[in-house]
């Protein structure tokens, strides 16, 4: 990828939080350097493909807050004429083009617009600061506005005469989600737009009277809604359940709302569909809702609809089974005329997608190797998918074949068409490089290959240009560690891909302290991600070798590999961890087997707690962040009960228990404490309602009561992640102080 220097966005006032052109004191990556980096997020191409607007987040450790700004550049191979449009101290987010020269965005809870040259800034909405997301119709006569409404289905509203009462009267499960109590939900409202810009004060709630959220918690956004090309229909994602039903099910659907008739229909299920009764204390895998004859009704996650450019189809991401968040994420294509659904035949999860241009490329007849006449035509869809530790860009042809557009050790994180031609705009990162924006032009050569009929994935050629170099002013001052890749034999006769990061000051012949990185999820990939907390390069900068295995349970190696972990949290995946660290100790000359530690978060934190009881002196210290420690208590503490049901099989009080449930509860880390003998640092956020902070507190107390050196870093104001700058710095400093204490001294 050709990298061209980016001109820094110009700040209007020095006191604002903005791009930090710091001079580093050394070539080591530090927590402060990480937090000085700009973080690119939303990217939007103008309708004519001539310009790109994008959002960058900057952080101030001193002020302990962030500021989001909007920049614009030309859509060409070097992203020329970069300009920062944001001039106030307030954050500006979610850039979207209204026409070829006008950008809409959110600031202070309202929709604003500004010309691409920075002039004519004006407020478009008047909602009292309630806008949380927006999407203009293609003809710009309507706009969807996301805002929250009061919700008292599971937490009763307190009496009006007790305004200072802080108690919450809870009447049903699912009363809190991720990091907040559920006392409001988002709904999509439709407002009229005059002259293409001015938003009327009247709004229509398209879920009026319905006690369901749209978009879905906890991570859904405006991508869960879409306008039809003729601006007459809205497709939206919704899980129309509350309370207990909501907490045990992942069944969301795609609905079509007609702007004129105000009628809604579900295109995932027949109109007379009635969900089977279920037992909320057992996995849905064995219940009637997931019976083969019911799976045709799209009973799993269905979300993120997109209309084709001609409006003849809708595509969306679809999981087949109810109650399983890590089912194969397929791409469903719905024919608007016939109601027929088809699915892209692909071997791994599809993470994001976009439609190709409607006019496409030339159609051509070609003779294959066996003499068969085949007709090749333009690709219909592009998508992102992880395979063997890397997330790359793929295409689906009209004949159903899948081809890879990009390759290499990287993670593509978003994609969209840049214009009406054949240019893709994407964001990409790696374990050694934060997110930047790229232009991708697939070559037409791949369409005329003669092996299209062999049923195999084929490689597509592409030209790629790097358009931004947001953090090169920092990266150019740093020395990074070298990354290696190994395929390590596992105890079940297979092989796991293991990433290895060498210290940035690596010298041949020396041995270094080594960390085993345990991934979360449990079904999240160890791919080429760039993290501002679990960053392999900052571990390398502190003189550590990092061993990062793609153990059983991770996507990108086939569905069988990924699904193996359900019901077996303490079996094969733990043996995979030990296989990886033993391979490193036995075969990599720079690994010091007498100075090894294990670290991880979420399921990785659970892994650390379990390894502490079975590692047989391999490790000298542990760090567990937001990990599950007591699975019986977690079963009733976590908010999304479908997760524990699927992973454990059933509630812990059932007698007799199914074999996998019996094994899961028997092997819970809290029952292994008698074998603990190694120093451990436990980290947790008190607002983590996915894995409650009491799990980390229990682990810390257990270690100390056994006389084992331990510390507990608890954040009262953080959730499953650490998001505030000063907390982030404290996290990193504590992390390395603990490791250095036990692995370097």
């Amino acid at each position: 990828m050709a990298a061209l220097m980016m001109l820094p966005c110009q700040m209007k006032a020095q006191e604002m939080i903005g791009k930090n052109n710091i001079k580093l004191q050394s070539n080591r990556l530090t927590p402060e350097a990480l937090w000085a980096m700009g973080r690119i997020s939303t990217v939007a191409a103008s309708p004519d493909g001539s310009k790109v607007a994008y959002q960058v987040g900057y952080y101030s450790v001193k002020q302990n807050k962030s500021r989001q700004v909007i920049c614009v550049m030309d859509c060409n191979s070097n992203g020329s004429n970069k300009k920062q449009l944001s001039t106030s101290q307030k954050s500006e987010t979610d850039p979207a083009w209204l026409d070829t020269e006008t950008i809409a965005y959110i600031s202070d809870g309202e929709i604003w617009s500004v010309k691409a040259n920075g002039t004519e800034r004006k407020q478009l909405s008047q909602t009292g600061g309630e806008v949380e997301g927006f999407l203009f119709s293609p003809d710009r006569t309507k706009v969807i506005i996301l805002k929250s409404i009061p919700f008292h289905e599971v937490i009763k509203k307190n009496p009006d005469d007790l305004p200072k009462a802080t108690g919450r009267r809870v009447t049903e499960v699912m009363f809190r989600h991720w990091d907040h109590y559920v006392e409001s939900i988002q709904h999509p409202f439709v407002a009229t737009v005059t002259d293409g810009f001015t938003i009327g004060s009247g709004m229509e709630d398209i879920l009026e009277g319905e006690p369901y959220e749209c978009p879905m918690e906890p991570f859904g956004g405006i991508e869960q809604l879409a306008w039809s090309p003729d601006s007459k229909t809205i497709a939206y994602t919704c899980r129309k359940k509350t309370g207990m039903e909501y907490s045990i099910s992942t069944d969301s659907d795609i609905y079509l709302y007609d702007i004129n008739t105000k009628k809604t229909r579900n295109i995932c299920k027949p109109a007379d569909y009635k969900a089977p009764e279920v037992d909320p204390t057992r996995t849905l895998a064995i219940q009637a809702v997931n019976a083969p004859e019911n799976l045709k009704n799209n009973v799993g996650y269905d979300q993120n609809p997109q209309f084709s450019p001609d409006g003849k189809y809708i595509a969306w991401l679809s999981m087949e089974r109810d109650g399983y968040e890590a089912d194969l994420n397929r791409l469903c294509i719905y024919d608007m005329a016939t109601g027929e659904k088809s699915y892209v035949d692909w071997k791994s999860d599809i993470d994001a997608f976009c439609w190709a241009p409607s006019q496409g490329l030339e159609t051509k007849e070609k003779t294959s190797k066996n003499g068969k006449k085949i007709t090749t035509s333009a690709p219909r869809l592009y998508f992102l998918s992880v395979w063997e530790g890397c997330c790359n860009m793929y295409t689906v042809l009209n004949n159903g074949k899948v081809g890879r557009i990009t390759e290499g050790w990287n993670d593509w994180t978003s994609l969209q068409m840049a214009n009406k031609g054949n240019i893709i705009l994407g964001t990409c990162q790696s374990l050694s490089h934060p997110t930047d924006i790229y232009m991708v032009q697939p070559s037409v050569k791949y369409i005329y290959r003669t092996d299209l009929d062999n049923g195999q994935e084929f490689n597509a050629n592409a030209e790629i240009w790097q358009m931004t170099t947001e953090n090169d002013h920092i990266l150019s001052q740093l020395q990074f560690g070298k990354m290696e890749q190994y395929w390590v034999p596992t105890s079940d006769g297979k092989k796991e891909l293991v990433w290895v990061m060498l210290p940035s000051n690596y010298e041949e012949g020396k041995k270094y302290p080594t960390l085993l990185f345990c991934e979360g999820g449990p079904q999240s990939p160890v791919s080429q991600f760039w993290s501002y907390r679990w960053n392999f390069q900052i571990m390398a900068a502190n003189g550590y070798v990092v061993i990062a295995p793609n153990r059983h349970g991770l996507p990108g190696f086939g569905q069988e590999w990924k699904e193996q972990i359900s019901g077996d949290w303490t079996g094969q995946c733990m043996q995979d961890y030990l296989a990886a660290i033993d391979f490193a100790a036995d075969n990599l000359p720079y690994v010091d087997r007498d100075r090894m530690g294990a670290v991880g978060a979420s399921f990785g934190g659970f892994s650390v707690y379990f390894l502490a009881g079975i590692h047989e002196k391999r490790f000298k210290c542990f760090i567990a962040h937001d990990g599950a420690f007591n699975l019986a208590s977690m079963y009733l503490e976590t908010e999304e009960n479908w997760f524990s049901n699927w992973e454990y099989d059933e509630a812990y009080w059932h007698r007799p228990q199914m074999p996998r449930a019996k094994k899961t509860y028997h092997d819970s880390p809290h029952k292994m404490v008698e074998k603990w003998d190694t120093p451990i640092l436990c980290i947790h956020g008190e607002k983590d309602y996915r894995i409650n902070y009491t799990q980390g507190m229990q682990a810390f107390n257990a270690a100390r009561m056994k006389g084992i050196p331990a510390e507990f870093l608890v954040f009262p104001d953080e959730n499953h992640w650490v998001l505030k700058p000063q907390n982030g710095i404290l996290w990193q400093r504590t992390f390395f102080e603990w490791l250095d204490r036990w692995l370097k001294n």
Side-chain angles (χ1 to χ4, degrees):
M1 298 179 181
L4 296 173
M5 183 59 65
M6 169 180 164
L7 297 174
C9 295
Q10 299 299 313
M11 297 303 300
K12 298 296 183 180
Q14 290 297 320
E15 69 275 7
M16 292 182 184
I17 300 173
K19 191 162 188 174
N20 192 341
N21 293 295
I22 62 173
K23 176 67 175 176
L24 303 182
Q25 299 302 309
S26 73
N27 61 5
R28 280 182 63 238
L29 179 60
T30 63
E32 290 77 9
L34 266 179
W35 282 91
M37 292 182 180
R39 307 183 189 185
I40 293 175
S41 52
T42 305
V43 178
S46 63
D48 63 356
S50 65
K51 295 182 178 63
V52 176
Y54 59 101
Q55 179 180 327
V56 188
Y58 297 113
Y59 291 78
S60 167
V61 174
K62 182 178 180 180
Q63 297 182 40
N64 200 34
K65 61 183 181 180
S66 66
R67 174 173 176 253
Q68 302 292 320
V69 304
I70 295 172
C71 297
V72 67
M73 63 182 172
D74 292 340
C75 188
N76 54 29
S77 60
N78 63 353
S80 58
N81 295 322
K82 293 180 177 67
K83 177 182 178 64
Q84 181 174 304
L85 300 182
S86 301
T87 58
S88 74
Q89 183 65 46
K90 295 179 180 179
S91 285
E92 298 177 351
T93 65
D94 304 275
W97 293 86
L98 294 180
D99 56 32
T100 57
E101 289 296 332
T102 311
I103 301 166
Y105 63 93
I106 296 176
S107 180
D108 212 18
E110 299 292 355
I111 304 173
W112 292 69
S113 70
V114 64
K115 294 296 183 182
N117 62 8
T119 64
E120 300 183 36
R121 191 180 304 270
K122 62 180 181 179
Q123 185 174 332
L124 304 184
S125 67
Q126 300 285 342
T127 68
E130 296 181 334
V131 176
E132 297 167 358
F134 70 92
L135 186 65
F136 279 83
S137 61
D139 64 4
R140 292 215 325 271
T141 64
K142 304 281 186 182
V143 61
I144 298 170
I145 293 178
L146 300 181
K147 66 175 188 174
S148 292
I149 62 172
F151 179 74
H152 298 294
E153 290 285 322
V154 295
I155 301 177
K156 292 292 186 182
K157 183 179 182 298
N158 282 341
D160 293 337
D161 63 337
L162 301 176
K164 295 184 179 181
T166 58
R168 291 181 171 95
R169 184 181 171 190
V170 177
T171 62
E172 186 53 280
V173 299
M174 208 66 200
F175 60 91
R176 58 183 192 177
H177 206 170
W178 189 251
D179 60 2
H180 61 279
Y181 283 85
V182 183
E183 296 173 289
S184 65
I185 56 175
Q186 278 191 334
H187 268 200
F189 292 76
V190 176
T192 300
V193 179
T194 58
D195 65 34
F197 296 96
T198 305
I199 299 172
S201 58
M203 293 189 192
E204 177 184 333
D205 183 352
I206 69 174
L207 269 72
E208 178 68 36
E210 297 188 53
Y212 313 117
E213 64 191 21
C214 177
M216 297 189 301
E217 294 270 19
F219 307 123
I222 199 65
E223 75 284 349
Q224 294 196 346
L225 299 98
W227 284 99
S228 61
D230 63 6
S231 301
K232 296 179 179 179
T233 305
I234 296 172
Y236 68 86
T237 307
C238 192
R239 178 165 45 187
K240 297 200 172 184
K241 302 175 186 291
T242 61
M244 178 64 73
E245 283 191 338
Y246 185 107
S247 76
I248 62 173
S249 174
T250 59
D251 184 8
S252 60
D253 292 319
I254 305 301
Y255 296 84
L256 296 184
Y257 176 81
D258 188 297
I259 290 293
N260 296 320
T261 67
K262 318 300 183 189
K263 292 183 178 180
T264 300
R265 66 185 179 100
N266 185 336
I267 60 174
C268 288
K269 294 178 173 63
D272 60 351
Y273 176 78
K274 181 174 174 55
E277 294 291 328
V278 299
D279 180 345
T281 66
R282 284 189 164 90
T283 175
L284 296 185
I286 60 173
Q287 300 195 51
V289 68
N290 283 319
E293 64 272 14
N294 201 42
L295 293 181
K296 66 178 183 293
N297 295 311
N298 292 70
V299 297
Y301 267 131
D302 291 278
Q303 55 186 328
N304 301 3
Q306 292 184 34
F307 286 90
S308 61
D310 59 10
K312 294 180 179 179
Y313 301 91
I314 302 178
W316 67 81
L317 299 179
S318 175
M319 294 186 185
E320 186 176 43
R321 290 167 286 181
D322 192 4
Y324 187 25
E325 70 163 352
D327 206 352
L328 182 66
N329 211 17
R330 309 168 299 172
L331 187 54
C332 178
I333 302 171
Y334 178 88
D335 189 315
M336 292 288 287
T338 67
E340 179 183 357
K341 289 178 285 190
S342 60
Y343 298 87
V344 173
D345 184 15
W346 182 235
K347 57 192 176 183
S348 189
D349 294 327
I350 293 176
D351 299 321
F353 71 95
C354 69
W355 286 94
S358 57
Q359 74 272 26
L361 300 173
E362 177 186 4
T363 297
K364 187 172 182 178
E365 190 175 83
K366 188 74 176 179
T367 302
S368 66
K369 293 178 181 178
N370 61 10
K372 178 182 176 182
K373 293 286 186 180
I374 54 175
T375 300
T376 59
S377 55
R380 295 175 62 202
L381 287 155
Y382 297 109
F383 67 85
L384 303 181
S385 181
V386 65
W387 186 249
E388 295 186 345
C390 300
C391 188
N392 276 297
M393 196 176 294
Y394 296 81
T395 184
V396 184
L397 301 185
N398 283 340
N399 60 11
K401 294 291 191 297
V402 172
R404 186 172 66 243
I405 296 173
T406 64
E407 55 188 356
W409 290 357
N410 48 51
D411 271 11
W412 289 88
T413 54
S414 72
L415 78 169
Q416 62 182 277
M417 298 310 302
N419 54 36
K420 296 179 180 179
N422 196 35
I423 298 293
I424 304 172
L425 198 63
T427 51
C428 191
Q429 60 183 229
S430 75
L431 287 169
S432 300
H433 198 284
T435 299
D436 267 310
I437 303 172
Y438 297 81
M439 178 184 290
V440 180
Q441 184 170 24
S443 170
V444 298
K445 294 178 183 178
Y446 70 89
I447 293 179
Y448 306 131
R449 288 174 60 104
T450 59
D451 59 354
L452 290 179
D453 57 343
N454 64 8
Q456 303 296 317
E457 169 196 346
F458 60 94
N459 292 335
N461 298 317
E463 292 187 70
I464 302 174
W465 299 273
Q466 185 172 344
M467 301 174 68
T468 61
T469 54
E470 173 63 34
N471 293 297
D472 273 19
H473 59 294
I474 296 176
L475 299 174
S476 62
Q477 302 177 61
L478 298 171
Q479 180 177 335
F480 275 179
K482 176 187 175 184
M483 185 172 59
E484 298 178 344
Q485 181 194 81
Y486 296 91
W487 287 89
V488 175
T490 56
S491 61
D492 63 346
K494 299 178 181 178
K495 291 184 177 181
E496 60 179 330
L497 183 152
V498 177
W499 297 114
V500 176
M501 185 70 73
L502 273 61
S504 57
N505 61 347
Y506 174 75
E507 296 179 24
E508 192 168 349
K510 291 186 63 175
K511 288 185 178 290
Y512 296 87
T514 299
L515 304 177
L516 173 68
F517 171 75
C518 302
E519 179 58 276
Q523 289 117 329
S524 299
V526 181
S527 57
Q528 286 289 312
F529 63 90
W530 176 268
S531 171
Y532 287 93
R533 188 167 66 259
W534 291 96
N535 187 291
F536 291 0
Q537 286 293 355
I538 199 170
M539 298 177 197
N542 280 272
Y544 291 94
V545 175
V546 182
I547 309 298
N550 276 270
R551 49 149 176 87
H552 279 74
L554 301 190
F557 303 91
Q559 195 67 4
E560 180 183 354
W561 179 277
K562 184 174 74 169
E563 293 194 1
Q564 189 282 327
I565 198 170
S566 295
D568 189 34
W569 281 19
T570 59
Q572 187 59 53
C573 65
M574 295 299 164
Q575 295 306 309
D576 290 352
Y577 284 138
L578 297 180
I581 198 66
D582 288 347
F583 171 87
D586 293 341
N587 296 280
L588 304 181
Y590 41 79
V591 169
D592 188 341
R593 69 185 315 133
D594 295 322
R595 294 188 293 162
M596 300 195 305
V599 302
S602 196
F603 180 83
F606 164 87
S607 301
V608 167
Y609 290 143
F610 185 78
L611 289 172
I614 69 164
H615 70 109
E616 297 180 344
K617 308 293 185 181
R618 285 177 174 87
F619 301 109
K620 294 297 186 293
C621 71
F622 295 104
I623 299 178
H625 176 114
D626 286 357
F629 173 72
N630 183 330
L631 296 186
S633 63
M634 183 181 163
Y635 181 84
L636 295 178
E637 286 179 349
T638 192
E639 82 288 48
E640 292 180 334
N641 297 110
W642 46 259
F643 174 79
S644 297
N645 276 341
W646 193 280
E647 294 301 313
Y648 309 167
D649 267 1
E650 60 183 338
Y652 63 84
W653 58 79
H654 283 173
R655 297 292 183 273
Q657 283 189 323
M658 289 186 276
R660 297 199 319 180
K662 185 176 182 179
K663 178 180 185 296
T664 294
Y665 293 117
H666 179 271
D667 291 348
S668 177
H670 80 284
K671 295 184 176 181
M672 312 275 292
V673 172
E674 64 185 62
K675 299 180 181 179
W676 282 19
D677 58 6
T678 305
I680 188 166
L681 167 64
C682 307
I683 307 174
H684 227 109
E686 287 191 23
K687 294 181 71 176
D688 183 355
Y689 301 152
R690 183 61 43 89
I691 301 177
N692 283 247
Y693 82 96
T694 51
Q695 296 282 314
M697 183 175 66
Q698 289 179 64
F700 166 73
N701 287 343
R704 289 303 302 128
M705 292 181 76
K706 280 212 66 184
I708 297 170
E711 289 185 8
F712 185 33
L713 176 60
V714 59
F715 295 99
D717 55 347
E718 299 285 5
N719 56 31
H720 203 56
W721 300 320
V722 178
L723 303 176
K724 296 177 174 61
Q726 291 193 15
N727 283 342
I729 298 289
L730 176 62
W731 189 97
Q732 293 282 7
R733 290 180 183 174
T734 305
F735 184 90
F736 289 112
E737 286 173 6
W738 183 259
L739 293 176
D740 292 351
R741 175 181 173 185
W742 301 105
L743 300 183
K744 289 185 178 180
N745 296 330

